[in-house]
Amino acid sequence: MDEKDMKILNILMREGRKPYTEIAKELRTSESSVRKRVRKMEEEGIIKGYNINIEPSKIGYNVVALTGFDTNPEDFLTVANKLCEFEEVKKVWTSTGDHMIMTEIWAKDGRELSNILFNKIGKIEGIKKVCPAIILEQLK
Amino acid sequence: MDEKDMKILNILMREGRKPYTEIAKELRTSESSVRKRVRKMEEEGIIKGYNINIEPSKIGYNVVALTGFDTNPEDFLTVANKLCEFEEVKKVWTSTGDHMIMTEIWAKDGRELSNILFNKIGKIEGIKKVCPAIILEQLK
DNA sequence: TTTGAAAATTGGCCTAA
DNA sequence: TTAGGCCAATTTTCAAA
């Protein structure tokens, strides 16, 4: 990890599909240099993968909620892993603070969110509290 | 948006740099079909962009915090926009629930997080409360 | 870093539904 | 009118020197 690697990461964070040749041009270096650095960062686990940024509302997911969960301490890991299995649960973090588990959940509408939270997920053994915060807008 | 578009999105969500030819092979369709569908979804704003997934700890960011902010109602938008300007603030959402603004903040260590939260950001006019929750692990 | 071959992307044009 | 097939030119990727 040097300055050049960092610059490559910064470019890829915004333009994840940019060709290595163009990145190379921007950094005034060769394509093979960029490509080999990227490969290395992939192998080292610095780059975990490549994603797309989707506008959820445009594919029918009109409600996105950051949802915190509290569990019995003994069920904590089981619950966290179960949450990962739901297709609607896009992200799962374990964290300190108000809630032991934080998630990002996509739903078609409020009715579906409610169904996911309180019927599908809420029934998982060990969950003590569900705290959804609906996202109004993603600014960054 | 039909079933095929959805399948393409699902593939790109996990493998954002996968060549169209390979996506086509996987869906048993042609490269031009995939390419034209992707272009269309880009133009329609369904696909907002392409990113990489970085392991923050591997590039020296050992502390990632989901941080909620509360503001005076009249300063709400100004604060939210100011937060976007910080390089360390990777994501900004406005939301309902416990906090009006939620963010994801990357820091080298606890000391730096503290500095960001209470010196740099905390000084923004209108912020009433700062609620950081440190991420222990991202499971999904 | 350079080089050359293989692969992928692109744009245009065409047909069919 | 729109999705997709096809082809040819260009660009990108990749591995070996």
Side-chain angles (χ1 to χ4, degrees):
Chain A
M1 273 304 300
D2 58 9
E3 190 56 33
K4 213 183 226 177
D5 281 337
M6 201 56 222
K7 280 184 183 166
I8 293 173
L9 288 183
N10 274 318
I11 291 171
L12 286 175
M13 279 198 289
R14 305 190 176 286
E15 298 167 89
R17 238 185 133 93
K18 188 171 232 192
Y20 301 139
T21 47
E22 281 186 41
I23 297 172
K25 221 177 288 172
E26 205 166 313
L27 301 184
R28 292 176 214 297
T29 178
S30 72
E31 177 268 338
S32 62
S33 163
V34 172
R35 186 158 42 82
K36 279 169 188 169
R37 282 167 178 272
V38 170
R39 286 286 163 284
K40 189 149 173 253
M41 288 192 282
E42 286 171 356
E43 282 160 15
E44 288 171 348
I46 295 172
I47 297 176
K48 288 191 287 184
Y50 301 84
N51 317 108
I52 44 172
N53 219 233
I54 295 173
E55 172 55 49
S57 66
K58 298 245 180 175
I59 56 168
Y61 290 95
N62 293 296
V63 179
V64 177
L66 294 177
T67 307
F69 293 92
D70 290 331
T71 72
N72 296 321
E74 64 271 25
D75 295 316
F76 171 65
L77 263 185
T78 320
V79 169
N81 286 322
K82 276 244 178 67
L83 284 168
C84 292
E85 292 170 11
F86 289 88
E87 193 256 329
E88 301 93 339
V89 179
K90 300 296 179 184
K91 295 208 176 112
V92 177
W93 299 277
T94 60
S95 83
T96 69
D98 283 347
H99 310 292
M100 305 162 81
I101 303 171
M102 285 296 299
T103 61
E104 181 181 319
I105 299 179
W106 291 17
K108 304 275 180 203
D109 51 35
R111 187 187 186 79
E112 192 191 282
L113 179 63
S114 169
N115 184 41
I116 294 168
L117 289 181
F118 303 114
N119 283 108
K120 295 169 78 171
I121 291 178
K123 296 267 164 67
I124 297 174
E125 180 141 16
I127 290 184
K128 306 270 281 199
K129 200 175 176 193
V130 180
C131 296
I134 290 173
I135 292 175
L136 303 173
E137 196 177 359
Q138 175 159 15
L139 299 178
K140 185 172 179 180
Chain B
M1 274 302 301
D2 59 8
E3 190 56 33
K4 212 184 218 177
D5 281 336
M6 202 55 223
K7 280 184 183 167
I8 293 173
L9 289 182
N10 274 319
I11 291 171
L12 286 175
M13 281 199 290
R14 304 189 177 286
E15 298 167 89
R17 235 184 136 91
K18 188 170 233 194
Y20 302 139
T21 46
E22 281 186 41
I23 297 172
K25 222 177 288 173
E26 199 170 322
L27 300 184
R28 289 177 216 296
T29 179
S30 73
E31 177 271 338
S32 67
S33 166
V34 172
R35 179 160 45 90
K36 280 161 191 176
R37 281 168 178 272
V38 169
R39 284 289 161 278
K40 194 156 174 246
M41 289 192 282
E42 285 170 357
E43 282 160 16
E44 288 171 349
I46 295 172
I47 297 176
K48 290 191 285 184
Y50 301 85
N51 315 106
I52 44 171
N53 217 235
I54 294 174
E55 172 54 48
S57 66
K58 298 244 179 173
I59 57 170
Y61 291 95
N62 293 295
V63 179
V64 177
L66 293 176
T67 306
F69 293 93
D70 291 330
T71 72
N72 297 320
E74 65 270 26
D75 296 316
F76 172 65
L77 263 184
T78 320
V79 170
N81 286 322
K82 276 244 178 65
L83 284 168
C84 292
E85 292 170 12
F86 290 89
E87 193 256 327
E88 300 94 337
V89 179
K90 300 296 180 185
K91 294 206 176 116
V92 177
W93 300 276
T94 61
S95 83
T96 69
D98 282 347
H99 310 292
M100 305 162 80
I101 302 171
M102 284 296 299
T103 61
E104 181 180 319
I105 298 178
W106 291 17
K108 304 274 181 202
D109 51 36
R111 185 185 188 82
E112 192 191 281
L113 179 63
S114 169
N115 184 43
I116 293 168
L117 289 181
F118 304 114
N119 283 106
K120 297 170 77 171
I121 291 177
K123 296 268 163 67
I124 296 174
E125 181 143 14
I127 290 183
K128 307 270 280 197
K129 200 174 176 193
V130 180
C131 295
I134 291 173
I135 292 176
L136 303 172
E137 195 177 1
Q138 176 160 13
L139 299 179
K140 184 173 180 180

